[in-house]
Amino acid sequence: MPSQMVLDVKKQQVADIKARVEGACAGVLVEYSGISVADDTKLRKELREAGVNYTVVKNTILRKAVEGTDLSEMEPFFNGTTALATSADDHVAAARILNNYAEKSETFKIKTGFLDGKVIDLATIESLAKLPTREVLLATVCNAFNAPISAFARVIQAIVDKDGEQCAPAAE
């Protein structure tokens, strides 16, 4: 029988994972077997820079953390090596980074994920991964707003230029 200290540590791990998952807007589960230490280090750095929390998780700890929630539908994926990537404020970052890495690797695989507390399938994760970054989307929106204003300003300037030619006295 495990000691009380070991049980307390495991209960704390379950509570930490549960809080992390509940506080995340999106998350992805991956099977990380076959990844080299150098590649893992680069992947973790990229995820960290994007604000994604990435950790290796024991399947039993993860199972207990999502027990009784909508995310318990992920339970069939709690086998093999499992790592959990969560993001508190970016719905796309984890999916984009991990999907890009999975496309390059034969052993690193995305298992499943969740978005706003609901389990999503692999096709949805791939769709999220293809979305542009937040900065690119904001720039696109700004350009869309700016285009009509710029066109209006050009029209007004053309009117001013045309009227200026008519009002100018004729050179003698």
Side-chain angles (χ1 to χ4, degrees):
M1 171 126 178
S3 71
Q4 187 61 37
M5 190 172 86
V6 171
L7 289 175
D8 290 341
V9 168
K10 289 185 179 188
K11 284 180 183 177
Q12 185 60 46
Q13 288 174 340
V14 169
D16 291 345
I17 295 293
K18 185 172 189 144
R20 187 171 134 200
V21 168
E22 288 174 350
C25 64
V28 179
L29 284 179
V30 297
E31 183 172 335
Y32 65 89
S33 62
I35 185 172
S36 71
V37 173
D39 288 343
D40 187 50
T41 303
K42 285 194 302 192
L43 178 63
R44 286 175 184 266
K45 181 178 186 258
E46 187 176 355
L47 288 164
R48 193 172 37 255
E49 288 172 353
V52 177
N53 190 345
Y54 177 82
T55 52
V56 172
V57 182
K58 287 188 174 186
N59 292 312
T60 53
I61 301 288
L62 191 54
R63 185 175 290 113
K64 289 194 180 291
V66 299
E67 201 172 71
T69 68
D70 289 341
L71 298 180
S72 61
E73 296 173 26
M74 294 191 304
E75 196 167 324
F77 298 99
F78 298 163
N79 54 37
T81 59
T82 304
L84 173 66
T86 57
S87 178
D89 56 356
D90 191 342
H91 290 77
V92 182
R96 183 180 346 96
I97 294 167
L98 293 171
N99 190 61
N100 287 344
Y101 188 82
E103 287 176 349
K104 298 174 192 171
S105 174
E106 293 181 19
T107 57
F108 188 89
K109 294 179 177 55
I110 295 177
K111 294 180 175 186
T112 188
F114 62 92
L115 187 64
D116 292 329
K118 302 291 180 201
V119 177
I120 56 175
D121 60 358
L122 194 55
T124 305
I125 293 170
E126 290 171 354
S127 296
L128 284 173
K130 292 178 182 156
L131 288 175
T133 64
R134 182 177 189 271
E135 291 76 19
V136 171
L137 286 173
L138 287 174
T140 304
V141 169
C142 287
N143 285 337
F145 285 136
N146 194 23
I149 295 168
S150 297
F152 179 71
R154 283 192 296 273
V155 168
I156 297 299
Q157 187 62 47
I159 291 170
V160 168
D161 291 345
K162 184 177 179 187
D163 288 344
E165 290 174 9
Q166 292 175 357
C167 294
E172 291 180 25

